[in-house]
């Protein structure tokens, strides 16, 4: 079995919206609530975001299970809409809940990463223009400042955004997130607003002089050209500037890729910005980086004279020989984690980083239940072992990687997929909200126990 250093964190992730549901305190309406109300038929088995995994009623027992497995750390987050349901007035019941929630992790000696925004846009903020609105950005900064002041060093690690551009691509050029429109110009403006919000929050954080570090969690689906043709190599370079290294560098160190600027100008989709805002963005420096990795992006050029922006001149293609997760249609390529480790070492000054999400979603897991009632998810164990082997290889070659969080600690609700594909170490029974460890949880427990003493 793999052996990691004693201080290497082996843990798991989930999010507020995907586990809290409506919860036990007042919460403002989210864009995902509106999406479900308007298009229930688009959600798998019409399961909405109201209940999810009901963690607010189960967190004491859930954290006890995390302790039983031996998890070193957990990443979840605060809900902006729960703490500030109307965007103005603080919800003191929610403040009290989060203090108790955080203290339960401390009692169990589990480090806690808390994310400020994980796809959970309040509806009032969307109606004001979402990240294109400077008013929304200012309100987000105020919410974050409240959290930093109120919770301070009770939290071990702060995270500004999880997968910041997913809501942009899936909401403004795709259909998985609200408002599910296809408008590249709006997408660019929303993306710019997120970069500005992130930079302002990091800057505000420094005023509080906390022991806790602050970082961002980015989904780096490592870019490769589909072939070595000149067109594919060029397309991959541009795609990287928009989807992978480009935004990552903006959020880690305020560095803006000229390819991004040139191609935005070429298609006349530059966002509205000011010189002062750009200066704030360029000053950004985070303390650590979280990387979510599920699959690589192999980019193929696709000439398109009607393209509205440069990303419409390329597509993601999967090689016919690739190993695939049939439940998601995603390529399984563990070597991507080693490639990321080496890129961070050589391109990002070996910044402290960790794998914030990595995991395998499988449909109808009940079919793998054994006579003992436990789901025998050997496919997940194999997936995790293969990816962690690549992490260890990177560590051995000098990568400054300090941990690994699998997605997810317990089965949780997942947007339009709801509970179709499950990722958890812990099974959640939606009928009665009971929990049960899967076989992978016992394997992970052994991995943790096998760390160097």
């Amino acid at each position: 079995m793999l052996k990691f250093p004693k201080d290497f964190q082996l843990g798991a992730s989930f999010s507020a919206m995907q586990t809290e549901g409506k919860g036990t305190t007042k919460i403002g309406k989210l864009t995902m609530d509106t999406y479900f109300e308007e298009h229930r038929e688009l959600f798998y088995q019409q399961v909405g975001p109201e209940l999810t995994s009901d963690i607010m009623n189960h967190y004491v027992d859930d954290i006890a299970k995390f302790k039983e497995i031996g998890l070193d750390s957990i990443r979840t987050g605060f809900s902006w809409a729960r703490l500030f349901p109307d965007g103005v007035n603080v919800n003191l019941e929610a403040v009290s809940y989060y203090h108790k929630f955080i203290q339960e992790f401390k009692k169990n000696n589990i480090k806690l990463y808390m994310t400020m925004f994980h796809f959970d846009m309040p509806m009032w903020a969307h109606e004001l223009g979402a990240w294109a609105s400077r008013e929304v950005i200012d309100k987000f900064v105020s919410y974050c400042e409240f959290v930093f002041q109120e919770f301070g060093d009770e939290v071990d690690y702060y995270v500004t955004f999880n997968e910041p551009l997913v809501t942009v691509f899936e909401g403004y050029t795709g259909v998985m997130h609200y408002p599910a429109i296809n408008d590249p110009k709006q997408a660019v403006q929303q993306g710019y607003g997120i970069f500005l919000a992130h930079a302002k929050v990091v800057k505000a954080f420094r005023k509080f002089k906390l022991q806790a570090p602050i970082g961002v969690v980015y989904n780096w689906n490592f870019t490769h050209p589909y072939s070595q043709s000149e067109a594919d190599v060029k397309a991959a370079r541009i795609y990287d500037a928009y989807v992978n290294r480009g935004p990552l560098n903006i959020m880690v160190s305020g560095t803006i890729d000229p390819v991004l600027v040139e191609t935005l100008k070429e298609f006349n989709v530059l966002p509205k910005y000011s010189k002062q805002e750009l200066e704030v963005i360029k000053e950004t420096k985070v303390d650590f980086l979280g990387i979510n990795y599920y699959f690589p992006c192999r980019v193929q050029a696709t000439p398109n004279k009607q393209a509205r922006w440069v990303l419409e001149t390329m597509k993601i293609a999967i090689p016919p020989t690739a190993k695939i997760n049939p439940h998601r249609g995603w390529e399984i390529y563990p070597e991507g984690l080693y490639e990321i480790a080496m890129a961070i070492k050589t391109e990002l000054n070996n910044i402290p980083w960790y794998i914030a999400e990595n995991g395998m979603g499988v449909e109808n897991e009940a079919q793998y239940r054994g006579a003992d009632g436990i789901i025998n998810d050997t496919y997940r164990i194999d997936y995790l072992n293969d990816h962690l082997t690549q992490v260890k290889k990177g560590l051995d070659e000098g990568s400054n990687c300090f941990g690994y969080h699998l997605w997810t600690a317990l089965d949780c609700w997942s947007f339009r997929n709801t509970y179709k594909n499950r990722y958890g170490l812990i099974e959640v029974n939606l009928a009665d909200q009971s929990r049960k460890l899967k076989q992978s949880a016992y394997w992970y427990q052994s991995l943790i126990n096998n760390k160097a003493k």
Side-chain angles (χ1 to χ4, degrees):
M1 178 170 262
L2 290 166
K3 186 177 285 290
F4 283 94
K6 181 181 179 181
D7 59 353
F8 186 84
Q9 296 178 29
L10 288 167
S13 294
F14 51 92
S15 81
M17 177 171 60
Q18 291 170 271
T19 53
E20 290 179 359
K22 290 300 178 194
T24 58
T25 76
K26 182 178 180 182
I27 183 172
K29 192 174 191 177
L30 300 172
T31 53
M32 198 55 73
D33 296 323
T34 300
Y35 202 5
F36 182 66
E37 287 172 8
E38 294 178 355
H39 294 286
R40 293 175 70 98
E41 74 282 0
L42 298 178
F43 290 71
Y44 182 70
Q45 296 183 340
Q46 297 191 27
V47 176
E50 300 98 336
L51 184 64
T52 66
S53 303
D54 197 24
I55 201 168
M56 294 183 79
N57 279 311
H58 294 268
Y59 72 91
V60 173
D61 290 338
D62 286 342
I63 294 169
K65 283 186 169 54
F66 303 159
K67 178 70 172 176
E68 179 186 348
I69 296 168
L71 302 182
D72 296 309
S73 52
I74 283 282
R75 177 173 67 95
T76 179
F78 296 102
S79 166
W80 184 8
R82 192 177 300 283
L83 283 169
F84 291 90
D86 60 2
V88 177
N89 299 294
V90 67
N91 177 1
L92 294 178
E93 276 190 311
V95 174
S96 175
Y97 162 73
Y98 283 120
H99 276 299
K100 291 176 196 168
F101 179 76
I102 291 166
Q103 286 307 312
E104 195 64 27
F105 279 96
K106 287 212 169 302
K107 278 190 228 170
N108 286 277
N109 198 30
I110 299 172
K111 293 183 185 299
L112 189 60
Y113 296 63
M114 291 295 276
T115 310
M116 306 307 299
F117 185 85
H118 191 131
F119 304 163
D120 46 350
M121 177 66 78
M123 194 61 204
W124 63 259
H126 174 78
E127 289 167 349
L128 288 173
W131 301 112
S133 162
R134 301 307 188 268
E135 181 182 354
V136 169
I137 291 170
D138 289 343
K139 284 181 178 291
F140 180 70
V141 174
S142 295
Y143 144 66
C144 292
E145 288 182 324
F146 171 82
V147 167
F148 302 149
Q149 178 74 46
E150 178 69 29
F151 297 95
D153 285 317
E154 286 182 56
V155 172
D156 297 290
Y157 300 82
Y158 285 98
V159 174
T160 57
F161 284 85
N162 171 79
E163 297 188 353
L165 295 190
V166 165
T167 54
V168 172
F169 286 116
E170 291 294 349
Y172 293 88
T173 64
V175 296
M176 289 301 287
H177 290 258
Y178 196 80
I181 59 177
N182 194 338
D183 186 337
K185 195 167 183 66
Q186 280 200 58
V188 171
Q189 194 65 55
Q190 293 288 329
Y192 172 77
I194 288 172
F195 297 148
L196 180 60
H198 164 76
K200 285 190 166 187
V201 168
V202 172
K203 185 174 183 179
F205 177 82
R206 303 300 178 198
K207 296 184 301 188
F208 296 91
K209 302 188 186 308
L210 301 180
Q211 295 292 312
I214 192 166
V216 65
V217 167
Y218 197 83
N219 50 312
W220 193 349
N221 303 322
F222 205 83
T223 309
H224 295 268
Y226 184 74
S227 75
Q228 289 305 306
S229 73
E230 185 178 346
D232 284 359
V233 170
K234 181 181 178 183
R237 169 71 181 91
I238 295 169
Y239 185 89
D240 208 39
Y242 274 75
V243 179
N244 285 321
R245 280 182 178 85
L248 182 70
N249 278 307
I250 292 171
M251 302 190 90
V252 170
S253 60
T255 306
I256 301 172
D257 192 324
V259 168
L260 185 62
V261 179
E262 290 160 13
T263 50
L264 288 171
K265 280 181 181 175
E266 180 186 350
F267 285 84
N268 195 30
V269 289
L270 272 172
K272 294 177 182 175
Y273 65 92
S274 71
K275 288 183 179 178
Q276 291 84 356
E277 288 172 349
L278 284 184
E279 287 307 309
V280 172
I281 289 171
K282 288 176 180 178
E283 289 169 3
T284 307
K285 293 285 185 297
V286 295
D287 302 317
F288 71 95
L289 175 61
I291 292 294
N292 294 353
Y293 175 77
Y294 292 96
F295 52 84
C297 287
R298 303 190 190 277
V299 184
Q300 188 174 49
T302 54
N304 179 2
K305 290 182 179 178
Q306 280 75 49
R308 295 167 298 167
W309 66 331
V310 72
L311 289 184
E312 292 181 341
T313 66
M314 59 194 72
K315 69 176 183 179
I316 302 305
I318 299 176
T321 56
K323 185 178 180 182
I324 301 290
N325 174 358
H327 304 277
R328 292 306 308 258
W330 292 350
E331 180 179 354
I332 297 175
Y333 181 70
E335 294 82 359
L337 275 177
Y338 171 74
E339 293 169 352
I340 286 169
M342 293 300 97
I344 291 173
K345 180 183 175 184
T346 58
E347 300 170 28
L348 295 176
N349 297 316
N350 213 11
I351 185 173
W353 73 285
Y354 83 112
I355 296 93
E357 288 182 27
N358 175 239
M360 185 175 186
V362 170
E363 190 174 349
N364 189 20
E365 279 201 319
Q367 66 184 299
Y368 302 105
R369 193 181 308 282
D372 57 1
I374 295 172
I375 289 176
N376 189 21
D377 52 344
T378 53
Y379 43 83
R380 180 168 292 112
I381 293 169
D382 291 342
Y383 179 99
L384 297 175
N385 188 67
D386 289 347
H387 284 77
L388 280 159
T389 297
Q390 296 297 321
V391 175
K392 184 65 165 60
K393 183 180 176 185
L395 267 181
D396 291 343
E397 294 186 26
S399 168
N400 195 10
C401 179
F402 61 84
Y404 175 93
H405 280 183
L406 65 83
W407 184 267
T408 174
L410 70 170
D411 290 337
C412 57
W413 186 87
S414 186
F415 315 103
R416 279 181 39 178
N417 281 320
T418 71
Y419 283 90
K420 181 180 180 182
N421 298 290
R422 297 195 176 213
Y423 288 80
L425 291 172
I426 302 169
E427 177 189 5
V428 175
N429 183 324
L430 294 182
D432 61 9
Q433 286 293 322
S434 62
R435 273 71 158 146
K436 187 178 288 185
L437 301 190
K438 300 176 189 176
Q439 196 62 48
S440 57
Y442 295 104
W443 176 86
Y444 205 49
Q445 183 184 58
S446 297
L447 182 76
I448 293 165
N449 289 337
N450 195 50
K451 285 200 296 182
K453 304 302 181 190

